Every structure is written in C-alpha cells, then in structure tokens.
Amino acid sequence: MKSTLIKFLAAVLVLCMIIPITASCGKKYTGGDTLVVGYDIFSEKFSPFFAKTEYDQDVADMTQVSLLLADREGNVVLKGKSGEVIPYNGTDYKYEGLADCTITQNDDGTVIYEFDLRRNVRFSDGERLTADDVIFSMYVLSDPTYIGSSTFYTLPIKGMKEYRAGMTALYVLILEAGRDATEFTNYTKEDADKYWEAMDKAGVDFAQDIVDYVLSNYGEYASSPAYGGKWGTAITADSPYAVAYGMRMWGFGSWVKNEADEFTGAFKDINGKVYDCVNTFPTTEDYWDNLDAAYGGNYVELNATEAANADLFALVDEKLGDEAAKYNAGIVTGETVDKIEGIEKTGNYSLKVTMTEFDATSIYKFALSVSPMHYYGDKAKYDYDKNMFGFTKGDLSSVRAKTTTPMGAGPYKFVSFENGIVLFERNENYYKGIPKIKYIKFQEVTNEADKVAGIASGTIDISNPSVNDEILQSIKDANPNKELTGDVITYNAVDNLGYGYIGINANNVKVGQDPASDASKALRKAFATLFAVYRDTVIASYYGERAQVIQYPISNTSWAAPRPSDSDYAIAYSKDVEGNPIFTDGMTETQKYDAALQAAIGFFKAAGYTWDEASKKFTAAPAGAKLTYELIIPGEGIGEHPAYGILTSTKSALETIGITISINDPSDSNVLWTAVESGTCEMWAAAWGATPDPDMYQVYHSSNTVGKGGTDSNLYDITDAELDELIMVARKSSDTSFRKATYKRCLEIIMEWGVEIPTYQRQNCILFSSARINIDTLTPDITTFWGWAHDLELLEMN
C-alpha cells in the first residue's frame, strides 16, 4: 500500500556492488589512501544472508565474493575461473570470477550444475575458501528457518522440499496460528502471549520508522496542496501532524475535504477513524493498528511491502532480547531429512547441484555470496559425510550473531560502523590483487543536494543523487565548463532497472465478449496509437535528457530488449489498421498527431464504432464497448506524473471525434492499485520494476490473470495460447539467442493485443570527483548490472 509517489520520488540508483573482475598490475600507486562514498541511510544489517536494504547489501558485498557473476548486460558468466570474453558496446571484456559452471540437461529432465572453484582464494583472515564454504552458504539459505531476501530455497533442487519439510520456526508457528489461537501444540500460551506483546511493541517502532523516513526524505513536500498542506513549511518530527503526514504519504489515510472539495485540516485513516488534527491526532499506535488491519495478520507480507528502513522481525527480536533465539529456532513438526540430496561435494574445490527440472531463471540464484563457514558457522559442526553443515539445522543463531560485522573474501574488510560511516580496509589477501586504495568509507548523506555539494567541496568522492533538474544544474554549476562532466565532477548515467508504461485491461476494454477478437484488439490499438504519438514531446518535456522513449514493453537494461540496430526494430503503434506505416519521414510533430488521429479513427471503425460523416464523430459504440473510458493515473491529484501530458493530449484529440477518456488522478494512489489489482481498472499509467532475467511468466502468462488462482500479476488480463507457449518454451531453454528471439515474438504479441504502451526508460546517475579520483582507472562501460565497484582493486585516487 506504499504510495506510488513515495516509490517514484525514492527511486534512486542502487550502487551495484558485484565483485570486481580484472587483476591488479602496473606502476607503484602513489595516490590518496581514502575514498569516501556518499550513501543513503543504513539499517546495520550488513549480512550476506540477512541484509534488508540495498545499501546494507552493498556493505556486505564489499566483503564478499559471489559463486557466479553477471556481465554488463546482466547475463551470468559461466566461465569465471577460466575467464570468459564477452563483447559489449563494441569492446571485448574478459570476465574472471570465482568458479566455472557447467550445465548438463539430461534426457530425464533433470539438470546438473557442476562448479569448479579457484584454488587461490582466501578469506580476509587468511583461511582458504573451499567447496565446504559454498555448501555451508547453500545450507544456510536452504534452512527451514531462513527468512532473508534470498530465494535460493525455491530452486527445484533434488531433496530440497524434503529437507525443508517437517520443521518450522517457533515464531512462524505462532504467526500461522494467529492472535486468537486456542490450541498450543508445539508451544505454550505464555510463549504466544510474549511473542504478540513483542510484536505490538515492535510494530509501533516499525510505524515510527516509516514516519521518520517520510519526514527525512519528503517533509518539504508538505506545503503542496496535493498533500493537504496548508502550513507553508516542511513537516518536522516535532509537528503534531507528523504521524498523519507519514501515514498519508505511505497510503494509509487522507486529508479530509468538505463538499466544496476544500481541505478541512482533518485526517482520516484507512480504518475509517477521523482525527480533527486540533484536539486529536493519529499516533504511531494508531498507525500500527492500520498496518496490522491492512494485512490481516500476514506480517511477512506487511514487512516486505511497507518497511522503510527498519525490519519488523528484527525489531521483534530486539523486544524479545535473549529469548529471540528460542523463537527463531526450528521446531520439528513432522517427517524431515538431514541433507539435501541434490547438493553434493565432489572435491575440496568442486561440487554439483542436481535439479529436477530446467528453468532458465534458476542460474541467477547461484550468484550467491560464498561466506566463510568458520566465521558464520562452527567448524566443529561441519562434517559433510555425517550430514553436518556448519550449524545445527533449524538454528541460525551463529549466522545472525554476525549480522552487523560481515567478513568474506571480497576486496575490502569491514572495520566499523560509527556515526553514520562504514569504514573498510583493503583485504591484503584479495585474490585479484591488493586494492590500491587503503580505506573506503560509506558515509550517510541524507540530503540529495549534499551529495553534489560534497563532491564539489572535496568531502565526498562518489555519490548517487536522485536526478532532477535542480541536481543537474548544480552539477553544471560546480564544473568550470558548466557541463555535466568537467574538472570537478564526472557524470555517469545508466538506465534504471525498469520502465514506464500505460496499461489497458483486455477484459474491460473489448468488443462483445471476446477480448481476443480482432475488433477488441482494434479498439485497444485506437487508444494505444494516440498514446504512443504523444510520448516523444511529453517525455522530453518532463525528463529532458534523463529519460528516453522506448518502443517495446521491456527495459532497455535487458539483454532481451530489441535494439534500434535490429533489422526488424519498429516504432510502437506506428502502423494503421491495414498494416501500413502511419508516419513518413519529414513529418512535423503536428502532422504526426493528425496522422495518428486518422489511424485511430480507422481502428475505431474496425472495432465496429458508428461514424457520423457529417459531424466527423463517432456516435455509438458496438456491444460490449463504450464511448467513454476511465484512465487512472497516480499523479497525487495534481498531474505529477511523467505520462500525464500524454493523457491530456490524447483526451483532447479523442474529444474531437466523439470519444472520451475520463482522467482520474486521485490524491490517494491506492485508488489505482485497488482497481488494478481487483481487475476492475480499464486503463492506467504506472511503471514496472525489472530483473536481470527477462522471464515473462509472472506478468503475461494467462495463469496469472486476476482471479485465476495464480499470482494475480497479469494485470492486463491477456490470455493468448501462443504467448503462453512461448513464455514456457523460453523458460526451458539455456540458449540466450533463442530466448531473445522468442521474447521478441512475445513482445509483438503483447502489442498486437494493444494492452501495453511502453512510455519511457529513465536514467539514474553516479557522480565521481574528477579532482580526487583518477577517472581513467574506473571500470569502463558502467551499466545497470556492472557498477563502479567492479575492478575496485584497480581504482586509484589522484
């Protein structure tokens, strides 16, 4: 229920921290000894197993090496030990990592992943990294009580289900039974009461953390009418409106309006309780009650969806104190086994994993951190032949105990976290070579403008501010040449892992009863054609150089995304109902708009709409269709959205031919998500997040349409047999070229249905100090998947 505005405003580039690749060499280093990186707020969960935020994960990654790594396009490198040359942007790059991986698909459908590790890798304390450490790490991620962000345990590894069965953490049993439980089979009522007491105390702190986050990042927006602001100043922690504002910005209430649509100053939470904000104000206890009620006792989902910085279950552990280990430990509830049959040690530096079926997305889950068993576990509890893997099954207390102090075989060692600064020291045992810079500091910077000012003043060397016009101008002002890159700051932009789109629900925008009919597709393409033609002007006006229009419903960051250089690359919705090009070279923008409108008229006619030649308007819709459709856009009631101009321009054009789009821009974005997720929304504007693998199953497979018993994540209600088949075929292939061609056809089918109009691919930025960093030693061709911290051992200060 976290508001879209929060997601939009908070979207910043995660500084990619996958481990470096090339070896150190060359002349003696004589530069500076400390690099300072400006970061957002840390949660001090610096564990490769339990990190909650991207920033905490980055801290852990500095100390770790991954079993497998990804290249600049997000493809997994299978020959890390041997070294693999992969071209990117016209340059061949050699990728070297921890292991080689050989994949064998057997006739019986099983798949074997064989890993061969380097022999020369040591952890920062000098201990050798071996297959035992890989196996230990896999078993931690597979434990029945594991609740970190990794989904390694979902892999179809032979024996995984049997290993995880028959054991559940005590706190999970209590959560599953609920607050009103009357039977206590595996624990006592006193155990349950104590846990629920801790949960509610933690919940209040969890709610307060959200409020603090909102005030820290968005307090200044309170003076905008969109938030019912009438104070003219930013909301601060000591304001009586603080909790109400935090709840409002997180989608858990709204400012009350009178019949004249004027803000009254009162606040109404999602439970329906009204606070006059004179004598009564919502408290964090009220906020927690709202959170609790909204998720109906599903605290795992609540935590995953609503958390700002704090982790709900970590807060519960704090309230439980010394008894936390008891509640996190596994309770045997049925038949279980002592090992995972499909994870086998084949040598001191080799192992194999057998899966019961092939899934192209599985390989990404093997990019796990290989952490030291002797540090996170207990050597005395490791004996592979006796099914002992470094800890007692169901008891990860030794792993949790190291949550704030990571250690591994990465390029740097964790030293401390004090006063908002994480201090690292180079790892003298790093297998790629000793890093040239002795110390690195990750320093919390709460103000985006300070991330630029810090580099300009020399107190910060690298930062990743959220990009807007003011930030870009401040960068130019800092450089003597008034450009984004100059003698003071070097600007580097990368595509965001996701893209913006306009969606149309096929079942709600159709002719007759068949959303797959040619008439229904023509109806949706009529709208899509007009939405598409206004993208260039509107996106350029909203984002400037910070985004570009895309032509396919897939992020440019994906290796499967069609490229303009492809022979069959096409502009989205640029053909008329007969399949002829709508536009010609040399057309002005106005001429394109007119041509698109004529094409839309053709599509409406093909859909069966009645055209009146005298008035040049449509006068009637065919059965099942309408002359008026609603489009919901989360612009916070004031049109603050990249696609808003597209909608208003399309609305104006359609009005000239008798068709109406009713733009609903609610001040509460949950109006949109409620409609979309319930399958009642007709059209909407939003953005997708993306993953390195372009698997389309969740979003486009018919089994996941709303109400079909799947994930309810097919919001378009697209049900196409060919699309379903291609999605599943691509999932079962390890041939990247075949998958790319298959996904290209999938994208074409999606657009033939007219259910999605890709709008924009925005960019994030990383700033470097031109004065303090030797820019020539930065890893070249930084991408979404290949961040500045690759080749970190080669980076030099001036």
Side-chain angles (χ1 to χ4, degrees):
M1 199 170 289
K2 190 182 300 181
S3 102
T4 298
L5 180 72
I6 287 287
K7 294 177 182 175
F8 176 72
L9 290 171
V12 296
L13 176 67
V14 175
L15 297 181
C16 217
M17 302 303 297
I18 303 173
I19 299 306
I21 300 304
T22 56
S24 177
C25 61
K27 63 183 181 180
K28 183 178 180 181
Y29 174 63
T30 59
D33 69 352
T34 303
L35 176 80
V36 181
V37 185
Y39 254 85
D40 286 359
I41 302 299
F42 298 111
S43 299
E44 205 174 356
K45 302 294 186 294
F46 306 140
S47 169
F49 301 105
F50 295 110
K52 177 68 176 177
T53 69
E54 295 95 338
Y55 318 117
D56 285 0
Q57 186 66 58
D58 288 351
V59 172
D61 286 347
M62 287 284 284
T63 69
Q64 302 294 310
V65 291
S66 297
L67 182 60
L68 298 178
L69 63 145
D71 67 11
R72 285 170 169 81
E73 287 193 310
N75 296 298
V76 173
V77 177
L78 298 179
K79 298 298 180 183
K81 175 191 172 187
S82 304
E84 187 172 353
V85 176
I86 302 173
Y88 177 80
N89 200 24
T91 301
D92 287 340
Y93 290 104
K94 185 175 183 180
Y95 295 88
E96 296 178 306
L98 179 61
D100 285 351
C101 177
T102 302
I103 304 173
T104 304
Q105 293 182 248
N106 301 314
D107 293 339
D108 63 358
T110 60
V111 187
I112 297 176
Y113 294 79
E114 296 179 272
F115 299 94
D116 184 24
L117 309 177
R118 289 179 178 272
R119 274 63 169 170
N120 66 329
V121 181
R122 292 180 180 272
F123 294 108
S124 59
D125 63 355
E127 290 272 348
R128 286 189 179 277
L129 184 154
T130 70
D132 292 334
D133 298 294
V134 180
I135 291 171
F136 164 77
S137 299
M138 288 182 174
Y139 268 88
V140 170
L141 300 176
S142 304
D143 193 77
T145 67
Y146 175 75
I147 59 166
S149 59
S150 170
T151 55
F152 180 81
Y153 60 84
T154 65
L155 288 171
I157 297 174
K158 189 175 182 180
M160 177 67 81
K161 289 183 179 179
E162 292 78 1
Y163 181 76
R164 289 176 57 82
M167 177 177 283
T168 306
L170 173 56
Y171 83 91
V172 174
L173 293 174
I174 294 173
L175 290 178
E176 290 176 346
R179 292 178 181 268
D180 299 325
T182 57
E183 296 183 6
F184 307 95
T185 304
N186 296 294
Y187 55 91
T188 67
K189 184 178 186 302
E190 289 71 24
D191 290 333
D193 290 345
K194 184 171 293 186
Y195 188 81
W196 289 119
E197 180 183 1
M199 171 63 77
D200 287 332
K201 289 180 179 178
V204 174
D205 290 351
F206 182 81
Q208 183 63 59
D209 182 71
I210 296 174
V211 173
D212 292 343
Y213 178 87
V214 169
L215 297 180
S216 175
N217 291 276
Y218 312 107
E220 69 271 21
Y221 293 95
S223 58
S224 167
Y227 314 108
K230 58 181 182 180
W231 307 283
T233 58
I235 294 291
T236 57
D238 58 356
S239 168
Y241 294 94
V243 175
Y245 181 62
M247 293 176 70
R248 167 66 188 88
M249 289 290 280
W250 223 246
F252 276 81
S254 58
W255 303 109
V256 178
K257 292 183 178 181
N258 58 24
E259 293 181 358
D261 201 36
E262 300 170 332
F263 289 108
T264 65
F267 179 79
K268 182 179 181 180
D269 67 25
I270 65 169
N271 285 345
K273 184 176 179 180
V274 177
Y275 310 83
D276 62 19
C277 291
V278 176
N279 299 305
T280 60
F281 295 87
T283 64
T284 48
E285 286 79 5
D286 295 316
Y287 192 179
W288 171 242
D289 287 343
N290 276 247
L291 286 161
D292 195 356
Y295 285 87
N298 189 339
Y299 297 98
V300 173
E301 183 180 356
L302 188 161
N303 187 45
T305 306
E306 304 299 341
N309 289 316
D311 180 273
L312 176 61
F313 294 103
L315 292 173
V316 173
D317 285 351
E318 290 179 9
K319 303 303 179 184
L320 290 170
D322 293 340
E323 290 195 86
K326 167 185 172 180
Y327 286 90
N328 289 318
I331 301 294
V332 176
T333 59
E335 186 175 347
T336 188
V337 297
D338 294 331
K339 73 172 184 177
I340 303 169
E341 186 178 352
I343 299 178
E344 300 176 74
K345 180 179 178 181
T346 56
N348 288 336
Y349 296 93
S350 62
L351 67 150
K352 70 176 182 179
V353 178
T354 302
M355 299 209 298
T356 57
E357 61 183 6
F358 180 82
D359 186 323
T361 64
S362 295
I363 191 66
Y364 290 93
K365 293 185 174 66
F366 285 112
L368 55 90
S369 294
V370 179
S371 300
M373 181 265 293
H374 69 276
Y375 178 75
Y376 285 100
D378 184 346
K379 268 188 170 184
K381 294 182 178 181
Y382 189 91
D383 188 326
Y384 176 81
D385 294 329
K386 295 181 179 180
N387 298 332
M388 298 169 60
F389 303 106
F391 61 96
T392 301
K393 181 182 178 182
D395 182 7
L396 297 179
S397 58
S398 66
V399 182
R400 296 176 187 276
K402 305 297 197 309
T403 293
T404 61
T405 54
M407 197 269 275
Y412 280 81
K413 300 184 295 183
F414 175 87
V415 176
S416 64
F417 175 58
E418 297 176 353
N419 301 317
I421 298 175
V422 181
L423 176 63
F424 302 97
E425 183 178 1
R426 63 187 173 198
N427 177 10
E428 303 283 342
N429 293 309
Y430 187 48
Y431 76 104
K432 299 274 189 190
I434 302 174
K436 296 185 177 182
I437 301 173
K438 186 173 183 179
Y439 299 108
I440 291 182
K441 292 180 179 180
F442 284 4
Q443 179 174 313
E444 292 180 342
V445 180
T446 58
N447 186 291
E448 295 299 301
D450 289 344
K451 292 181 178 180
V452 179
I455 293 183
S457 66
T459 59
I460 296 175
D461 303 309
I462 301 175
S463 68
N464 64 327
S466 297
V467 186
N468 56 41
D469 290 338
E470 291 75 18
I471 290 292
L472 292 178
Q473 188 58 53
S474 65
I475 296 170
K476 294 177 181 178
D477 290 343
N479 280 322
N481 63 359
K482 302 306 176 185
E483 301 289 339
L484 288 175
T485 293
D487 293 340
V488 175
I489 296 175
T490 293
Y491 176 91
N492 188 290
V494 297
D495 286 335
N496 183 59
L497 192 58
Y499 66 95
Y501 72 95
I502 296 172
I504 302 178
N505 183 291
N507 199 47
N508 296 332
V509 183
K510 65 184 177 184
V511 175
Q513 297 300 312
D514 184 7
S517 68
D518 290 340
S520 292
K521 292 177 181 178
L523 169 57
R524 295 188 292 269
K525 285 183 183 178
F527 291 108
T529 299
L530 283 172
F531 288 141
V533 76
Y534 292 108
R535 296 174 303 163
D536 288 340
T537 300
V538 172
I539 297 304
S541 175
Y542 190 92
Y543 276 117
E545 299 176 358
R546 308 193 307 275
Q548 59 180 310
V549 171
I550 56 175
Q551 307 303 336
Y552 293 87
I554 187 172
S555 172
N556 279 350
T557 60
S558 175
W559 52 262
R563 306 299 179 192
S565 58
D566 295 345
S567 59
D568 55 352
Y569 187 85
I571 302 300
Y573 301 103
S574 60
K575 292 185 178 180
D576 63 20
V577 71
E578 302 295 334
N580 300 314
I582 298 173
F583 314 111
T584 59
D585 293 339
M587 274 188 171
T588 65
E589 288 301 309
T590 299
Q591 290 171 332
K592 288 181 179 179
Y593 301 154
D594 292 340
L597 182 60
Q598 292 306 308
I601 290 173
F603 280 117
F604 279 121
K605 288 180 177 179
Y609 278 68
T610 301
W611 175 257
D612 178 62
E613 189 62 36
S615 64
K616 301 296 182 183
K617 291 185 177 183
F618 290 104
T619 58
K626 302 187 298 183
L627 289 172
T628 299
Y629 284 95
E630 180 186 59
L631 193 152
I632 308 178
I633 183 169
E636 296 299 324
I638 56 173
E640 184 56 46
H641 192 282
Y644 194 78
I646 295 174
L647 308 189
T648 56
S649 295
T650 300
K651 175 182 172 69
S652 297
L654 287 172
E655 285 175 346
T656 67
I657 60 172
I659 305 294
T660 300
I661 284 185
S662 174
I663 300 175
N664 181 359
D665 178 15
S667 58
D668 184 354
S669 62
N670 290 303
V671 171
L672 165 63
W673 300 117
T674 298
V676 168
E677 292 167 4
S678 65
T680 61
C681 191
E682 295 174 337
M683 306 181 193
W684 69 96
W688 282 117
T691 59
D693 188 88
D695 178 46
M696 298 181 176
Y697 179 78
Q698 294 288 343
V699 178
Y700 300 108
H701 196 277
S702 63
S703 65
N704 294 319
T705 55
V706 176
K708 296 291 181 65
T711 61
D712 289 349
S713 51
N714 179 344
L715 306 179
Y716 309 107
D717 218 342
I718 181 171
T719 302
D720 187 284
E722 181 186 0
L723 179 61
D724 285 351
E725 181 180 1
L726 291 174
I727 289 173
M728 299 310 294
V729 167
R731 276 192 133 194
K732 299 302 180 184
S733 174
S734 59
D735 185 333
T736 300
S737 297
F738 171 78
R739 294 186 73 206
K740 182 171 182 177
T742 302
Y743 285 135
K744 174 69 180 331
R745 176 57 189 146
C746 290
L747 296 171
E748 291 170 348
I749 293 173
I750 293 163
M751 298 178 76
E752 287 169 5
W753 273 67
V755 294
E756 184 173 358
I757 302 87
T759 51
Y760 64 89
Q761 170 76 67
R762 67 176 178 84
Q763 291 187 320
N764 298 310
C765 80
I766 312 174
L767 307 182
F768 302 95
S769 170
S770 309
R772 286 172 51 81
I773 295 175
N774 181 349
I775 300 299
D776 292 338
T777 63
L778 278 171
T779 188
D781 274 332
I782 292 173
T783 72
T784 306
F785 305 106
W786 190 262
W788 66 270
H790 286 82
D791 301 332
L792 191 55
E793 77 281 3
L794 301 179
L795 187 62
E796 298 180 0
M797 306 289 289
N798 288 326

